[in-house]
Amino acid sequence: MSSREVIKRAKYKISVKDPGTPGVLKMNENKLLFRPSDPTSATKLDVEFRHIKGHKHTKEGSNKPPWLNLPHDQGGSYIFEFESFSDLHICREFVGNALAKSGEAAKAASVAKVSPATKVASEGSAVTHLDEQLSTTEMELRMKLLRENSELQKLHKQFVIGGVLTESEFWATRKKLLDGDNYRKLKQRVGFKNSMILDTKPMTDGRTNKVTFSLTPEIKYQIFVLKPAVHQAFLNFVPSKMTEKDFWSKYFRAEYLHSTKNAVAAAAEAAEDEELAMFLKDDDILAREARQKIRRVDPTLDMEADQGDDYTHLPDHGIFRDGSKDISESQQEHYKRTLSQDLNRQGAVVLEGRAVDVDLEDPRIVAQALVRSRPETNENASQERLERISRMTEIEDLQAPHDHPFAPLCIKDPREYFDAQQANALRSLDDTRAGTEQMKCNLTNEEVYGSLRKSISEIKTRGLNDPIVKPEVALMVFNGLTQNISSNKYQLGKNPQESILDRLPNTTKEELLHHWMSIQELLRHFWSSYPITTTYLNTKVTRLKDAMSQIYRQLEDIKASMQSDFRHQVSLLVRPMHQALDAAFQHYDADLQKRSARTGETPNGYS
Amino acid sequence: MNSVAPKLYADDVSLVMVVLDTNPFFWTTSSLPFSKFLSHVLSFLNSIMLLNQFNQVVVIATGYNSCDYIYDSSLATDHGSENGKMPALCSNLLQKLEEFVIRDQQLRKDGSGEGLPSSLVSGSLSMALCYIQKVFRSGPLHPQPRILCLQGSPDGPEQYVAIMNAIFSAQRLMVPIDSCYIGSNNSAFLQQASYITGGVYLKPQQLDGLFQYLSTVFATDLHSRRFLQLPKSVGVDFRASCFCHKKTIDMGYVCSVCLSIFCKHHKKCSTCGSVFGQAQADASGSSRKRKISET
């Protein structure tokens, strides 16, 4: 936030038509105050930002004067007319920041947008909201999840808003959902730019001989890293010998001389100014490093061969840079840098990566940090480090997430369980029919095997039946199959996954499914609350139990309201839900009894 | 199979693994005599062989004490007719079947339990899957395998784990298990097997028209199935057997660590050895009951 307080002259209007009361609008982080110019006027305002729900404003260029409209939670809104649009924009920005801040701090504003969970909070229930200090991003993620999943939204609405579960309890069982997006966060740091800052181009205005170099903290940092000599010089000269500004203008003077390719002029200037000569001469530190590197080159490598390939001295060869060809000349070599040197240095620095992690604003701090980070010159150590880097460096984006390998637990959609219920009903019918047949199995071993062998030899001697199937039987089979398939198709649609649920009226089906989901959610919380060790869990369980008994009654109502042809099926579907709830109730009662028996011994019961 | 050039395998070439129930205790009580049943099945196998010259049929007999391969069309050499009464397929198969029944009888231990004993379906399914694995590993080109269970004996709850494991490996191999159950009540195991693997479960009503059922529902290759309306089962019995007494149960206890199923409360999980806490023991059995999640 740029300023902690804003004071602007403005007119306060009760409505759009109202001519307005001139006065002064004063805003700080927490509230806005309006004091009318006429001290006798009664239209004073003193509103805290947590009562403001949002802000609207008129657009510049429209016919309307600069108005800022702040709707408040009582349903109305405060309208301010400013003298100019710039005033309006300053105030609008301030209000925006203040709203965001108050929303985060008190959580009231932002939650009000997500859900009326504030209602729960404001009711002052025993539930603590200490762990609900959420960042806006997390809030947004939750809102997104709710928007995308209507089932989740329904549950959220029913339980969180209904006060059965708290926001955090609701989400605690869905950590996986919330974690999902964390993969996306990048853990990589910004590396060193691989564009050549050495090419920092001067800007000429064309009329005077003045050239302008633009310099940012980032460029300064890059120069320090790329050119150890400049870095060294900066540490030596600034601020003892010259100011920072002088230092950079000298540096760029040298750069400019380089870019003109006028080695003679460069040599002449260097002779006059020893500090300038610093920048123009070859970098001693770099040269030393280069010698070290050459010592480490694999001795089998023939370095001479490379020199033979150098044909830049031939006409039409060489690399165009800065519009001119970079042809090496032997004289004045001292004051020249070749492009390949620059490129190599740049490449080395980029690969090494960003060594300092400090604020780039102050070049002095950067320079010192660099000294600290510049590694031990021990040859072995640096060699070792290089090897380690090449071995260990992995590009994070290309790696698989570092999760522990696990197979996700696959639990089928509970709705499919409904099918089983019907199968069970069919089965019990079958069982009664089959009862008689099982009685006959009192034959001995020899008898049964003998009869089986007899059957085999029988078919061996008699051959296959002719005809295999009697035509009328075949027809019956066909008819039976066709009827079965077409009736299934009629009843169940083409999808083999469809079930008896689909035969029920749509509203009933949805109601049942929703209840099933709700029961699951409640039961999950219910069972996870045991054993009850704190008062908090105790109230939670009581709340859950009440919600469950409510659903229990609703299920019974559904059952009773069904027409007779569906009633049996619905009761089959409802039965497992009732059973699950009954089990929970039973546990609740048993536990309650046990604990009340124990309360006799310990006064609070939660020892 | 060796004589067939691999490139000739089109997507409609099938390998049908037929699991044949030869439980003598079932067949003595069955309303359909075993000889009639064989007659239907043999005709059906013959017609599969005629549908495509590269089709392959393997028959596994499921006895009471053992199970074994009794026919493999890729090994059969002569395709002629022996005595004019039936194709060579049938006589070979019947010969092997008789030998198998004798062996099965010799393995018989004393003491038949109450009710109708079940046959060794888990063993046969495993053998069928092994054979299919062998075919899969023979090379990139192979016939499309499927398993057909011709079952009459009731489910043996003691085989629950073994059968479920076989079903899941079939699911992983994308091999459908078709089942034709000719016993008196539905087989929960075969229902689940067909449901999980995407096969067809059928319980024929007219047993004397068995051949018609088989050829109408189970003869088509997997490729053609996509274009056909095949019978669907209305419901699947998803109930599991408990691990302790091998009983089929509606409600039970599930180990929170390894998901083993028990019909009554134990102090310790017999599968993974987890010790169940005190809170559970206090809270009188029934209250901890939960729904067994379906497979």
Side-chain angles (χ1 to χ4, degrees):
Chain A
M1 214 176 295
S2 51
S3 55
R4 302 172 57 88
E5 202 176 69
V6 162
I7 304 171
K8 290 286 173 209
R9 202 176 284 279
K11 278 188 202 164
Y12 169 58
K13 296 149 79 80
I14 296 157
S15 67
V16 181
K17 292 274 165 58
D18 184 35
T21 322
V24 173
L25 177 66
K26 187 170 163 185
M27 294 192 278
N28 65 17
E29 282 170 31
N30 297 322
K31 55 183 183 176
L32 59 95
L33 288 157
F34 179 78
R35 291 279 167 271
S37 313
D38 177 7
T40 58
S41 167
T43 47
K44 282 180 194 165
L45 272 183
D46 183 349
V47 187
E48 283 183 39
F49 271 120
R50 63 187 173 86
H51 295 300
I52 303 291
K53 289 199 293 187
H55 58 89
K56 291 183 274 187
H57 64 97
T58 52
K59 291 219 170 52
E60 204 163 355
S62 63
N63 302 332
K64 302 232 174 73
W67 284 348
L68 181 66
N69 187 339
L70 302 175
H72 54 78
D73 55 4
Q74 263 86 47
S77 60
Y78 308 114
I79 302 171
F80 299 100
E81 184 178 328
F82 292 97
E83 290 175 335
S84 70
F85 273 100
S86 59
D87 281 1
L88 167 68
H89 288 318
I90 291 166
C91 289
R92 182 179 56 84
E93 206 165 289
F94 189 88
V95 169
N97 285 336
L99 281 183
K101 199 162 184 188
S102 77
E104 261 173 53
K107 194 175 160 281
S110 62
V111 174
K113 273 185 268 168
V114 185
S115 68
T118 35
K119 219 171 81 191
V120 188
S122 58
E123 275 165 14
S125 63
V127 186
T128 49
H129 287 265
L130 287 173
D131 51 344
E132 298 201 28
Q133 298 286 348
L134 290 167
S135 63
T136 356
T137 48
E138 189 149 347
M139 222 55 224
E140 272 166 16
L141 177 64
R142 288 180 181 188
M143 277 163 74
K144 195 173 132 251
L145 286 170
L146 287 180
R147 261 200 312 276
E148 282 167 359
N149 187 343
S150 64
E151 239 165 36
L152 198 64
Q153 192 173 22
K154 234 189 254 174
L155 281 180
H156 186 268
K157 206 168 131 193
Q158 184 178 353
F159 294 131
V160 179
I161 298 169
V164 177
L165 296 171
T166 62
E167 182 89 7
S168 60
E169 279 167 1
F170 183 79
W171 288 106
T173 53
R174 296 185 168 72
K175 284 214 173 74
K176 194 80 196 156
L177 281 177
L178 293 174
D179 286 344
D181 276 14
N182 284 353
Y183 286 129
R184 301 275 156 263
K185 273 182 201 151
L186 278 178
K187 278 171 236 141
Q188 270 191 335
R189 286 186 302 159
V190 181
F192 201 83
K193 273 186 196 168
N194 59 0
S195 69
M196 298 273 288
I197 52 97
L198 296 176
D199 289 341
T200 313
K201 281 279 159 38
M203 303 220 308
T204 47
D205 55 6
R207 279 172 296 178
T208 60
N209 281 334
K210 211 164 118 189
V211 285
T212 319
F213 286 87
S214 55
L215 199 58
T216 65
E218 179 71 24
I219 291 177
K220 282 181 204 167
Y221 168 69
Q222 282 182 309
I223 289 171
F224 286 152
V225 179
L226 278 174
K227 300 182 177 178
V230 177
H231 180 213
Q232 194 58 49
F234 185 86
L235 287 175
N236 291 345
F237 298 151
V238 180
S240 57
K241 211 165 169 190
M242 57 178 93
T243 65
E244 198 192 325
K245 194 164 176 266
D246 286 340
F247 179 83
W248 289 117
S249 50
K250 223 161 213 143
Y251 169 76
F252 279 111
R253 170 131 192 88
E255 279 299 295
Y256 179 71
L257 284 171
H258 266 300
S259 69
T260 56
K261 301 277 157 211
N262 192 341
V264 186
E269 293 234 11
E272 282 167 30
D273 188 338
E274 62 173 285
E275 280 119 31
L276 193 70
M278 276 290 311
F279 299 131
L280 288 172
K281 270 189 209 148
D282 270 351
D283 198 321
D284 282 341
I285 303 172
L286 273 188
R288 202 167 59 234
E289 267 179 29
R291 276 197 296 281
Q292 256 177 17
K293 271 184 203 154
I294 285 172
R295 246 179 276 138
R296 264 189 258 129
V297 167
D298 185 349
T300 56
L301 193 68
D302 185 2
M303 304 269 282
E304 293 293 321
D306 266 3
Q307 287 173 7
D309 287 342
D310 179 19
Y311 43 82
T312 47
H313 57 280
L314 296 174
D316 292 332
H317 284 282
I319 305 158
F320 282 99
R321 187 186 178 206
D322 307 338
S324 66
K325 227 191 299 176
D326 191 21
I327 301 168
S328 53
E329 288 161 40
S330 51
Q331 78 268 40
Q332 310 286 355
E333 191 67 60
H334 215 55
Y335 295 102
K336 283 209 62 87
R337 282 190 312 240
T338 60
L339 173 61
S340 53
Q341 273 175 326
D342 287 350
L343 280 176
N344 280 341
R345 179 66 194 155
Q346 173 85 17
V349 168
V350 168
L351 283 181
E352 209 152 274
R354 193 171 275 257
V356 245
D357 221 357
V358 292
D359 190 17
L360 297 178
E361 273 311 317
D362 188 355
R364 191 109 200 123
I365 294 172
V366 174
Q368 275 154 6
L370 261 180
V371 172
R372 260 177 275 127
S373 73
R374 196 142 279 163
E376 57 307 336
T377 41
N378 184 349
E379 206 169 303
N380 286 338
S382 60
Q383 181 74 10
E384 205 178 298
R385 198 173 117 257
L386 273 175
E387 272 168 18
R388 205 176 54 232
I389 285 172
S390 64
R391 214 163 352 117
M392 305 284 286
T393 302
E394 39 180 48
I395 300 173
E396 198 158 340
D397 303 4
L398 302 182
Q399 299 298 313
H402 283 284
D403 279 344
H404 297 290
F406 66 91
L409 181 63
C410 170
I411 295 176
K412 281 210 166 190
D413 190 341
R415 290 171 217 173
E416 287 183 22
Y417 188 81
F418 294 138
D419 278 348
Q421 292 308 303
Q422 206 203 15
N424 285 349
L426 290 176
R427 203 193 56 89
S428 56
L429 253 168
D430 279 343
D431 278 351
T432 51
R433 243 192 303 145
T436 50
E437 285 176 47
Q438 302 210 342
M439 307 296 277
K440 292 191 286 183
C441 185
N442 286 325
L443 300 165
T444 61
N445 227 349
E446 284 68 35
E447 277 174 314
V448 289
Y449 277 101
S451 90
L452 194 71
R453 289 224 301 276
K454 211 177 82 200
S455 302
I456 297 171
S457 52
E458 192 183 323
I459 188 174
K460 264 171 114 177
T461 49
R462 229 189 33 216
L464 301 179
N465 284 359
D466 185 26
I468 301 163
V469 190
K470 291 196 199 84
E472 54 268 35
V473 176
L475 185 67
M476 272 169 76
V477 169
F478 263 132
N479 284 341
L481 277 175
T482 316
Q483 205 191 348
N484 178 16
I485 291 170
S486 60
S487 70
N488 270 2
K489 192 179 161 194
Y490 172 72
Q491 285 176 341
L492 304 176
K494 283 179 185 163
N495 185 352
Q497 304 292 333
E498 279 179 62
S499 62
I500 47 168
L501 259 187
D502 297 298
R503 267 181 262 162
L504 300 175
N506 237 345
T507 48
T508 320
K509 177 186 156 191
E510 254 156 44
E511 232 172 314
L512 281 175
L513 284 180
H514 178 66
H515 282 310
W516 180 246
M517 293 282 293
S518 323
I519 289 172
Q520 280 196 310
E521 176 78 18
L522 290 174
L523 283 177
R524 187 160 39 208
H525 285 286
F526 179 83
W527 288 111
S528 65
S529 310
Y530 281 93
I532 296 174
T533 46
T534 59
T535 337
Y536 173 67
L537 282 177
N538 193 28
T539 50
K540 183 180 167 188
V541 164
T542 317
R543 255 187 296 132
L544 289 168
K545 195 206 132 222
D546 291 344
M548 286 194 293
S549 44
Q550 212 175 345
I551 291 180
Y552 197 95
R553 277 194 297 276
Q554 283 171 350
L555 283 174
E556 273 179 346
D557 290 347
I558 293 179
K559 214 160 76 173
S561 69
M562 282 320 290
Q563 287 163 357
S564 55
D565 39 335
F566 290 124
R567 189 169 296 164
H568 177 63
Q569 283 168 353
V570 170
S571 68
L572 278 182
L573 293 181
V574 165
R575 202 175 57 189
M577 306 193 211
H578 274 163
Q579 281 172 338
L581 288 176
D582 280 335
F585 292 148
Q586 224 173 335
H587 184 83
Y588 177 83
D589 291 337
D591 192 69
L592 198 69
Q593 257 177 15
K594 218 173 62 201
R595 277 187 298 124
S596 62
R598 227 188 288 151
T599 29
E601 297 152 24
T602 52
N604 58 0
Y606 307 110
S607 52
Chain B
M1 198 165 103
N2 299 337
S3 60
V4 176
K7 64 169 184 264
L8 294 175
Y9 281 126
D11 50 5
D12 59 348
V13 179
S14 318
L15 161 62
V16 186
M17 307 290 306
V18 180
V19 175
L20 200 67
D21 191 0
T22 64
N23 184 351
F25 296 95
F26 167 71
W27 287 112
T28 46
T29 58
S30 166
S31 56
L32 178 75
F34 189 58
S35 57
K36 284 241 180 79
F37 169 76
L38 276 180
S39 167
H40 285 287
V41 171
L42 291 175
S43 314
F44 168 67
L45 295 183
N46 224 355
S47 41
I48 287 182
M49 300 295 288
L50 293 169
L51 271 173
N52 189 315
Q53 59 167 327
F54 302 127
N55 274 359
Q56 194 188 340
V57 172
V58 176
V59 182
I60 299 170
T62 315
Y64 177 74
N65 302 302
S66 60
C67 39
D68 203 358
Y69 298 102
I70 54 169
Y71 180 73
D72 185 342
S73 67
S74 68
L75 300 175
T77 42
D78 74 304
H79 295 278
S81 166
E82 209 176 60
N83 49 13
K85 264 192 247 162
M86 60 176 90
L89 181 158
C90 308
S91 41
N92 289 347
L93 195 150
L94 287 174
Q95 186 61 39
K96 282 277 193 65
L97 181 61
E98 200 160 15
E99 291 163 16
F100 169 78
V101 170
I102 293 167
R103 254 182 290 134
D104 196 43
Q105 186 178 8
Q106 284 161 357
L107 287 168
R108 174 83 169 113
K109 286 167 237 92
D110 298 332
S112 66
E114 275 176 48
L116 202 51
S118 55
S119 45
L120 267 179
V121 198
S122 55
S124 304
L125 280 178
S126 310
M127 287 177 90
L129 288 167
C130 288
Y131 193 97
I132 289 170
Q133 268 296 348
K134 198 181 93 189
V135 170
F136 275 150
R137 291 174 190 197
S138 66
L141 286 162
H142 49 75
Q144 298 294 313
R146 65 179 192 265
I147 299 174
L148 172 61
C149 285
L150 296 171
Q151 187 71 17
S153 318
D155 291 335
E158 69 280 356
Q159 296 179 49
Y160 176 71
V161 177
I163 288 187
M164 288 319 284
N165 285 339
I167 292 173
F168 291 133
S169 21
Q171 184 190 28
R172 251 184 85 89
L173 291 173
M174 312 248 271
V175 173
I177 300 178
D178 297 325
S179 30
C180 182
Y181 189 73
I182 47 182
S184 46
N185 24 358
N186 279 302
S187 156
F189 288 171
L190 291 184
Q191 276 183 332
Q192 294 191 40
S194 300
Y195 179 81
I196 292 168
T197 59
V200 182
Y201 174 86
L202 183 75
K203 187 176 181 305
Q205 303 300 316
Q206 307 275 334
L207 285 182
D208 47 348
L210 182 65
F211 173 77
Q212 196 59 57
Y213 283 109
L214 291 174
S215 55
T216 313
V217 180
F218 299 112
T220 44
D221 59 90
L222 297 181
H223 183 71
S224 316
R225 263 187 205 191
R226 282 190 270 158
F227 313 106
L228 294 176
Q229 280 274 354
L230 292 173
K232 303 179 255 281
S233 35
V234 186
V236 177
D237 186 351
F238 280 120
R239 288 175 312 161
S241 298
C242 65
F243 289 22
C244 45
H245 302 86
K246 315 293 180 196
K247 283 188 294 190
T248 309
I249 47 171
D250 283 312
M251 298 256 281
Y253 297 85
V254 179
C255 171
S256 51
V257 178
C258 67
L259 303 181
S260 298
I261 301 158
F262 303 103
C263 61
K264 58 178 199 179
H265 176 252
H266 291 251
K267 286 208 172 89
K268 197 174 156 193
C269 174
S270 61
T271 311
C272 67
S274 310
V275 178
F276 300 130
Q278 193 59 37
Q280 198 171 359
D282 289 351
S284 69
S286 59
S287 54
R288 285 293 288 197
K289 270 192 185 173
R290 310 243 190 120
K291 279 263 100 55
I292 294 167
S293 65
E294 51 277 29
T295 46

